[in-house]
Amino acid sequence: VEGAGVRQALPAGVAEVLGAGGGADAPGEWVEHDTLRVDGAPVEWWVDADDVPHATHLAGLACALAQVTGRWADRWALEAVLVDPSRAGEAGLDLALG
């Protein structure tokens, strides 16, 4: 991963959504970047060798979290909660019910 970033705590509601339906535990933090490059190529998100998500925006963070937790199909629900944390209960219930 190339480019300076700022470590951030995961937004409220993300752990609740990821707790619904199993999967790996969510990491406690992520790295926010203005510009993110991996091996010289620009990317919007990445998960590094230590399973730390890196992203340039919330949609990218949702993808990185889905990847690192093995919940790729849930990336849209994660993005909805990242954009509007008040939707955590709704999204968690939807995922728990399948």
Side-chain angles (χ1 to χ4, degrees):
V1 173
E2 304 164 14
V6 177
R7 289 195 176 267
Q8 305 279 357
L10 281 184
V14 171
E16 181 178 345
V17 171
L18 288 171
D25 291 333
E29 61 185 12
W30 67 290
V31 182
E32 182 178 16
H33 295 264
D34 289 329
T35 302
L36 178 59
R37 298 177 80 77
V38 175
D39 292 333
V43 296
E44 296 180 348
W45 65 274
W46 191 258
V47 177
D48 68 22
D50 295 323
D51 287 338
V52 175
H54 296 255
T56 59
H57 48 68
L58 294 178
L61 176 56
C63 290
L65 289 170
Q67 177 69 33
V68 76
T69 59
R71 305 276 299 272
W72 187 250
D74 299 335
R75 65 192 179 279
W76 306 115
L78 287 167
E79 183 177 350
V81 171
L82 289 166
V83 170
D84 181 0
S86 71
R87 296 185 66 191
E90 168 194 351
L93 180 61
D94 285 349
L95 294 174
L97 295 174

